[in-house]
């Protein structure tokens, strides 16, 4: 038995037909958990083998550090799908694995004579995860796209940045990393279902839909609650100058904003009702931001962090590839490891009590494992399990007690609910989930009108229990005693402060898995610091590669769904361990560590090549030209991005740029990147004389990735999303008929409409759960309501 066999996914076999970032990152997560992954590459190899963001020339026998990070521990074989014998080999390998991941594009497998439906007919236990820009079906399915143009299509680009300086995309190809994270849990969901039912299926993941979930702050929900377009803006405060550098500040709640103003000595600003809302600060940005920056320059970063910690204001140093490995918290937690290739890389972004991630191994040379892989074809395929005749959701029967708040934790449990779990959300009327108040519509029931709360809480039941009251805590402990999973996402000190430390939870139910998602982890110098997604973006380098050259910007929330996907993945590992041992355990997914995992390129480039990656608006190392361009009509911009030689030739044809096509200096990506600004100017001259539709039609006809850069409030209607039934309408008790986004993958055996109830109102299910399931009488419940232990309205309103 190998070491991998005793890890949670030991024995799981995966065929990886992907290249680039999204698919390889998904399968990397499986390798970390012990799975056996065969990577099939085209004759020229995965293009990522030759790519570096610093444009370093690599020896022919050496793969790029980023490729090594994404593909370490996998086996490599070259198979050419254009050749009939290699197509047969791919199909034969599919018969000998549990999961296949592919990213060739909509219907591209079928076009080469490789139909996943045929694989499933022949081998019913197999599941296939298909990753594509738009999904396999729909009117846009074959439209050329990449990370940059998909971001624009979601609306996230147009609302990030300064109104006078133009829209800004999130850097670091973050959408591909996010899509890979969702692909990983889609694969696990399909595999778990196949094991329960004996029937595999196809999971069809849309990167576009993944980015809608992760980069728009539920902008479509916002559009239903707040009419009109959403203006472009930045966060105030965010990344601010100090006496010795910069600091990241995040004030999500009104109390944090008021406390921050008090800390910097500007209580007058904090008391001004005009500035309680982010839009009010933007409206008078010169005054508010100027006052903040003047105050912040009077103390060092460390001094400000110490002051902010006292009032639980999220504050952090600004991280990038050069500083992250040296931060005391990162060092103490062992956040970075030395890879076999000699560079530094993030460790696996989860911790289980019962096992460690697989040790780092080298990435394979191209076709290095050909003989070993082909030898597998001499073995018989595994015996097929009996079909059970039904398609249970993968978490059917799982009982989850949800103690989380804001975004990352609640979205984790919403995914679990969508995929079959029974989730009971626990709040209190003294301290409801803080996201009920952030971004909410100001009216008589404003705590029921937050777009983000609505976005991350469908499918749950909600009870209120006052946890600093003995009766409330006793009732919660009864819930935990019957739960499979307890999950929380506060800083390390909070749950023990309520008497819910790990040993207490373990004593209540030895099979319970306790998932903990603090911003910075359960140990280390920063363990008690508060932190939101923007805090994590500020410290991990994600903000460092996003923004204008003189102004880094946060990505706005992407670290929350990233953390959610990784928490679901880690929970699945713990469930596998429970099958083996019969016991639960503590699972730790510090929000900062999935973010480090997807921001890895910065530390990798700095440690491998001594290059500090940065930001330059929409100019990014992997694409040239790339930008957001004005067209003939006002407010009808397009996003365009060229990443391959074929796309470059298509751009030249679309623009009629014969001189560009003949220019040998522009024949390579490096040459085009060197001429980026001139190329952008040339594209701009062309787009300004045409309508948006004319530009897109000409570019798409030549295979050039381009998209309308829409306002985030104009995502709906969208013909591609309609064709894939991405939005699900449900009737909410307060907001009425409301449109909710779905999980960003469809499953061939599950209904698309996975939300089985709208997000709950505060305490909506007190009687259903506390009486119907726990046996309290009317009198007992009335007494608890009179004492404020339970209720349905915030006690302070």
């Amino acid at each position: 038995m190998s070491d991998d066999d005793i890890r949670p996914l030991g024995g799981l076999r995966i065929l990886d037909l992907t290249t680039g970032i999204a698919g390889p990152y998904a399968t990397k997560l499986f390798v970390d958990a012990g799975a056996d992954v065969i990577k099939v590459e085209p004759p020229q190899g995965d293009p990522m083998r030759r790519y570096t963001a610093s444009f370093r020339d690599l020896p022919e026998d050496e793969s790029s550090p980023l490729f090594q990070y994404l593909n370490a521990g996998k086996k490599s074989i070259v198979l050419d799908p254009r050749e009939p014998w290699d197509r047969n080999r791919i199909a034969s390998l599919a018969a000998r694995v549990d999961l296949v991941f592919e990213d060739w594009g909509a219907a591209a497998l079928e076009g080469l004579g490789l139909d996943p439906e045929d694989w499933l007919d022949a081998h019913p236990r197999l599941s296939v995860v298909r990753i594509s820009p738009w999904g396999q079906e729909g009117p846009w399915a074959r439209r050329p796209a990449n990370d940059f143009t998909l971001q624009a299509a979601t609306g996230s680009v147009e609302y990030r940045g300064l109104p006078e300086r133009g829209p800004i995309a999130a850097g670091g190809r973050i959408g591909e990393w996010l899509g890979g994270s969702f692909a990983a849990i889609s694969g696990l969901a399909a595999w778990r279902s196949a094991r329960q039912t004996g029937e595999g299926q196809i999971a069809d993941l849309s990167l576009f839909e993944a980015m809608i979930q992760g980069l728009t702050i539920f902008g479509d929900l916002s559009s239903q609650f707040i009419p009109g377009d959403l203006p472009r803006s930045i966060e105030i405060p965010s990344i601010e100058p100090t006496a010795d550098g910069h600091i990241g500040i995040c004030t999500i709640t009104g109390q944090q904003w008021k406390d921050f103003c008090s800390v910097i000595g500007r209580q007058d600003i904090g008391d001004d009702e005009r500035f309680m809302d982010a839009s009010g600060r933007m409206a008078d940005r010169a005054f508010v931001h100027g006052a903040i920056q003047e105050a912040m320059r009077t103390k060092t970063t460390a001094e400000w962090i110490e002051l902010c910690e006292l009032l639980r204001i999220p504050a952090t140093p600004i991280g990038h590839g050069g500083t992250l490995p040296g931060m005391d918290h990162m060092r103490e937690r062992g956040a970075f490891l030395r890879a076999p290739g000699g560079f530094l890389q993030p460790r696996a972004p989860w911790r289980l009590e019962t096992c460690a991630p697989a040790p780092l191994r080298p990435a394979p040379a191209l076709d290095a494992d050909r003989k070993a892989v082909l030898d597998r074809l001499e073995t018989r395929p595994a015996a097929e399990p009996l079909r059970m005749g039904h398609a249970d959701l993968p978490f059917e029967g799982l009982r989850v007690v949800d103690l989380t708040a804001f975004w990352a934790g609640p979205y984790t449990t919403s995914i679990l609910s969508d995929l079959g779990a029974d989730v009971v959300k626990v709040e209190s009327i003294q301290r409801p989930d803080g996201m009920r108040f952030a971004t909410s519509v100001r009216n008589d029931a404003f705590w029921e009108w937050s777009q983000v709360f609505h976005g991350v809480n469908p499918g749950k039941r909600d009870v209120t229990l006052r946890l600093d009251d003995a009766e409330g805590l006793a009732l919660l402990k009864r819930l935990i005693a019957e739960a499979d999973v307890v999950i929380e996402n506060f800083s390390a000190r909070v749950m023990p402060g309520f008497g819910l430390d790990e040993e207490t939870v373990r004593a209540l139910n030895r099979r319970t898995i306790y998932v903990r998602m603090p911003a910075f982890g359960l140990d280390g110098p920063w363990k008690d610091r508060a932190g939101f997604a923007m805090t994590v973006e500020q410290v991990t380098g994600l903000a460092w590669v996003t923004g204008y050259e003189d102004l880094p910007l946060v990505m706005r929330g992407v670290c929350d769904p990233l953390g959610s996907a990784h928490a679901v993945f880690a929970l699945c590992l713990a469930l596998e361990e429970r099958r083996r041992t019969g016991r639960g355990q503590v699972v730790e997914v510090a929000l900062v560590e999935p973010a480090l995992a997807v921001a890895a390129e910065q530390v990798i480039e700095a440690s491998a090549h001594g290059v500090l990656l940065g930001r330059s608006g929409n100019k990014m190392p992997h694409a040239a030209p790339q930008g957001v361009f004005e067209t003939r009509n006002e407010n009808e911009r397009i996003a365009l991005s060229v990443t391959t030689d074929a796309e470059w030739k298509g751009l030249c044809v679309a623009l009629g740029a014969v001189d560009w096509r003949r220019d040998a200096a522009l024949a390579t990506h490096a040459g085009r990147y060197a001429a980026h600004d001139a190329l952008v100017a040339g594209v701009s001259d062309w787009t300004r004389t045409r309508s948006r539709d004319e530009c897109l039609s000409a570019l798409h006809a030549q295979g050039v990735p381009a998209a309308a850069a829409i306002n985030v409030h104009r995502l709906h209607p969208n013909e591609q999303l309609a064709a894939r039934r991405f939005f699900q309408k449900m009737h909410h008790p307060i907001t009425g008929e409301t449109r909710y986004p779905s999980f960003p993958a469809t499953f061939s055996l599950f209904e698309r409409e996975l939300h089985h109830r709208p997000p709950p109102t505060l305490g909506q299910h007190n009687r259903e759960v506390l009486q119907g399931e726990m046996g309290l009488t009317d009198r007992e419940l009335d007494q608890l309501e009179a004492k404020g232990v339970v209720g349905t309205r915030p006690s302070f309103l």
Side-chain angles (χ1 to χ4, degrees), residues 36 56-57 126 161 246-247 259 284 287 289 324 369 431 437 492 506 517 559 564 597 620 666-667 686 759 783 793:
D36 176 19
R56 293 301 176 100
D57 290 327
L126 176 68
H246 288 80
I247 187 173
D259 289 344
D284 203 352
F287 166 67
H289 211 187
L324 277 164
D369 303 286
R431 298 178 75 87
F437 306 96
R506 204 186 316 268
M517 300 175 64
C559 291
S564 303
M620 300 174 189
L666 301 178
W686 180 80
Q783 289 175 339
R793 181 183 177 88

Side-chain angles (χ1 to χ4, degrees), residues 586-642:
V586 175
V587 176
E588 180 189 357
V589 182
L591 192 63
V592 71
E593 288 174 0
L596 290 173
V598 305
E601 187 173 27
Q602 294 183 57
V603 169
I604 289 171
E605 285 286 340
S607 60
H609 302 306
V611 174
L612 179 63
L613 301 181
R615 65 198 168 275
S616 184
N618 291 320
K619 179 181 179 182
M620 300 174 189
H622 67 283
Q626 176 172 279
V628 178
F629 298 91
E630 301 287 344
T631 64
R632 186 172 61 207
N633 300 324
E634 187 178 3
N635 292 325
E636 289 192 355
R637 286 172 285 275
I638 68 164
L640 176 151
S641 173
V642 170

Side-chain angles (χ1 to χ4, degrees), residues 392-442:
D392 286 345
L393 292 168
F395 299 116
E396 195 86 29
L398 202 70
R399 182 71 177 261
V400 179
V401 173
D402 178 3
L403 303 176
T404 68
F406 289 96
W407 189 341
Y411 189 50
T412 301
T413 52
S414 181
I415 293 171
L416 295 175
S417 173
D418 282 351
L419 297 175
D422 175 17
V423 178
V424 177
K425 181 177 178 68
V426 179
E427 305 179 71
S428 72
I429 61 173
Q430 292 76 24
R431 298 178 75 87
D433 183 341
M435 193 53 83
R436 287 186 177 275
F437 306 96
T439 71
S440 63
V441 178
R442 298 303 163 186

Side-chain angles (χ1 to χ4, degrees), residues 212-492:
I212 290 171
Q213 290 283 23
L215 287 167
T216 67
I217 317 185
F218 298 98
D220 182 66
L221 276 161
S222 171
S223 74
Q224 298 172 71
F225 298 166
I226 305 171
D229 286 353
L230 193 68
R232 193 176 309 137
S233 64
I234 63 171
E235 279 64 33
I236 302 173
S238 182
I239 297 174
E240 309 299 345
T242 65
D244 63 346
H246 288 80
I247 187 173
I249 301 289
C250 180
T251 56
I252 294 292
T253 70
Q255 190 61 53
Q256 287 168 344
W257 164 248
K258 291 176 72 72
D259 289 344
F260 170 73
C261 291
S262 177
V263 163
I264 66 171
R266 294 304 306 262
Q267 191 64 52
D268 58 316
I269 296 178
D271 289 339
D272 193 324
E273 287 296 321
R274 293 175 299 165
F275 304 137
M276 283 295 290
D277 185 82
S279 61
R281 293 169 223 163
M282 272 299 294
D284 203 352
R285 174 165 53 94
F287 166 67
V288 177
H289 211 187
I292 289 171
Q293 292 188 338
E294 180 182 8
M296 297 298 285
R297 287 190 174 99
T298 63
K299 290 181 173 61
T300 66
T301 298
E303 289 170 337
W304 282 122
I305 289 175
E306 184 177 0
L307 287 170
C308 288
E309 271 195 88
L310 295 174
L311 292 177
R312 309 294 295 156
I313 301 166
T316 185
I318 303 303
H320 55 62
T323 59
L324 277 164
M327 291 181 176
D328 58 349
H329 186 75
M330 306 303 174
R331 289 199 313 269
E332 187 164 323
R333 283 183 58 84
F336 295 96
L337 304 174
R338 186 70 60 180
F343 53 88
L344 290 176
Q345 69 170 67
R347 64 167 172 80
W350 48 264
R351 285 180 173 177
L352 269 60
E353 289 181 314
T354 56
C355 67
L360 297 185
R361 289 171 288 186
L366 182 64
D367 207 31
D369 303 286
R370 186 174 192 82
K371 182 178 184 307
V373 172
L374 293 180
D375 283 349
R376 294 192 184 192
L377 300 183
E378 303 302 318
T379 64
R380 294 175 62 84
E384 301 294 349
L386 294 174
R387 292 175 183 251
M388 305 302 292
H390 57 87
D392 286 345
L393 292 168
F395 299 116
E396 195 86 29
L398 202 70
R399 182 71 177 261
V400 179
V401 173
D402 178 3
L403 303 176
T404 68
F406 289 96
W407 189 341
Y411 189 50
T412 301
T413 52
S414 181
I415 293 171
L416 295 175
S417 173
D418 282 351
L419 297 175
D422 175 17
V423 178
V424 177
K425 181 177 178 68
V426 179
E427 305 179 71
S428 72
I429 61 173
Q430 292 76 24
R431 298 178 75 87
D433 183 341
M435 193 53 83
R436 287 186 177 275
F437 306 96
T439 71
S440 63
V441 178
R442 298 303 163 186
N443 57 31
D444 291 341
F446 63 91
W447 60 93
E448 304 293 359
W449 284 85
S450 162
Q451 79 217 36
V452 178
F453 184 89
H454 273 254
V456 299
N457 285 288
K460 306 174 189 179
R461 297 185 292 169
D462 189 285
V463 301
T464 50
L465 292 171
R466 184 169 185 170
L467 299 190
D468 58 0
D469 175 271
E471 291 179 287
L473 183 60
L475 288 168
L476 175 59
K477 287 181 176 180
R478 286 178 59 188
L479 282 172
I480 292 173
E482 300 297 323
D484 295 287
V485 178
V486 177
I487 181 167
E488 63 89 11
N489 66 330
F490 296 93
S491 60

Side-chain angles (χ1 to χ4, degrees), residues 106-124:
L109 282 175
E110 292 86 342
L112 290 166
L114 291 166
D115 191 338
E117 295 285 359
D118 292 341
W119 298 348
L120 268 64
D121 287 342
H123 313 289

